Amino acid sequence: MPIIGSLNGVSTGGWVEYAQKMEEAGADALELNLYYLPIDPSVTSTDVESGYTALVGDIRTQVSIPLAVKLSPFFTALPNVANRLAEAGANGLVLFNRFYQPELDLETLEVVPNLALSNSDELRLPLRWIAILHGRVDADLALSSGVHTAEDALKAVMAGANIATLTSALLSSGIGRVTQILADMQEWMEEHEYESVSQMRGSMSQQSVAEPAAFERANYIKVLSSFDPNAMAARDR
Ligand SMILES: Cc1cc2nc3c(=O)[nH]c(=O)nc-3n(C[C@H](O)[C@H](O)[C@H](O)COP(=O)(O)O)c2cc1C
């Protein structure tokens, strides 16, 4: 099984040094977990994005194993960032990191950490962006956030993901969940007469679907019209 080292650095020198160390230690690939929270109002989005691409470029010149970049969903123009990272040397993009926002305790007046695991509803954000980026960026795509079932993983592949990753599902259900998901995927593919995962990959990406606007803002009114309060009440009962 390939081993992918996950790296989250602070200084440029630290990122490069540890990337080299991971390669020397035998990692088959590296995942760079880029996460800089710009608090200073004078720092622009261009500063942040250029910093990310420069960093990926620096690491690319120092290591030869494949590099994946794990991104946050908070970019104004994600396709542009994705392309610039690929040009800088990223072989894969992981969409998305899931941030744990701090919680306020009203009794103790403290800012407290609060880990809540994901659920399948959170799949939609990365699903949309994988579907949009598939065929538009020269990098493999991994979907991270909200994969809990075989259906979730199938959707990831159909949107165009090369990989679907699981964390919350494994923490809540144990490592055996992987076996179940793979078996369920296989059963679904047999029932629907798919012969391979690659046959499915990207078949529901934005460039493949009959209505590409469904992935864009134009879909807003349709989404609102699809709301059925009776169905929601029935589900809550
Ligand atoms: C307990 C825990 C620890 C995590 N540690 C890391 C980490 O060290 N680096 C990282 O890139 N992501 C980390 N993540 C984020 C996961 O890799 C993943 O992107 C996120 O949980 C969304 O996927 P999920 O919906 O399958 O949980 C962590 C998540 C959890 C729940």
Side-chain angles (χ1 to χ4, degrees):
M1 181 180 284
I3 306 288
I4 303 173
S6 178
L7 188 54
N8 188 350
V10 179
S11 66
T12 307
W15 279 97
V16 173
E17 182 189 338
Y18 281 94
Q20 287 172 319
K21 283 186 173 166
M22 284 197 183
E23 181 175 45
E24 282 161 23
D28 295 290
L30 277 183
E31 178 192 68
L32 310 175
N33 185 1
L34 297 187
Y35 176 35
Y36 170 72
L37 196 68
I39 293 167
D40 179 347
S42 69
V43 173
T44 67
S45 52
T46 306
D47 295 337
V48 176
E49 292 167 9
S50 301
Y52 284 170
T53 46
L55 182 67
V56 171
D58 284 347
I59 296 173
R60 179 71 291 165
T61 59
Q62 300 300 322
V63 301
S64 55
I65 52 177
L67 289 180
V69 174
K70 190 168 189 180
L71 291 173
S72 94
F74 307 119
F75 287 98
T76 306
L78 186 65
N80 176 269
V81 174
N83 267 299
R84 285 168 59 199
L85 290 168
E87 279 163 19
N91 309 98
L93 299 172
V94 184
L95 280 58
F96 291 111
N97 211 339
R98 181 169 175 267
F99 295 112
Y100 299 102
Q101 314 296 354
E103 176 62 297
L104 302 188
D105 185 321
L106 291 178
E107 296 305 322
T108 62
L109 299 184
E110 283 175 322
V111 182
V112 287
N114 179 358
L115 176 71
L117 296 178
S118 73
N119 59 52
S120 290
D121 291 342
E122 293 180 36
L123 184 73
R124 297 206 195 171
L125 178 69
L127 200 62
R128 167 191 246 176
W129 282 109
I130 295 269
I132 290 172
L133 291 183
H134 180 77
R136 288 198 171 96
V137 58
D138 186 18
D140 286 344
L141 299 172
L143 187 149
S144 172
S145 285
V147 181
H148 287 258
T149 66
E151 285 76 15
D152 296 336
L154 287 161
K155 287 176 192 175
V157 174
M158 298 261 197
N162 299 84
I163 295 171
T165 69
L166 305 104
T167 304
S168 295
L170 301 186
L171 287 173
S172 58
S173 307
I175 205 91
R177 185 84 191 107
V178 173
T179 317
Q180 186 62 50
I181 289 179
L182 286 173
D184 291 348
M185 280 179 82
Q186 197 158 358
E187 192 181 318
W188 189 95
M189 286 171 64
E190 279 163 18
E191 275 172 14
H192 293 78
E193 298 180 358
Y194 283 97
E195 281 168 15
S196 67
V197 168
S198 53
Q199 189 189 353
M200 295 190 294
R201 181 168 299 119
S203 58
M204 292 196 69
S205 70
Q206 194 187 24
Q207 291 180 344
S208 302
V209 292
E211 198 189 353
F215 286 108
E216 297 176 22
R217 176 81 167 78
N219 200 36
Y220 186 59
I221 293 178
K222 232 183 211 180
V223 173
L224 294 189
S225 315
S226 74
F227 177 66
D228 177 356
N230 296 328
M232 183 168 267
R235 201 181 65 186
D236 291 345
R237 270 201 296 276

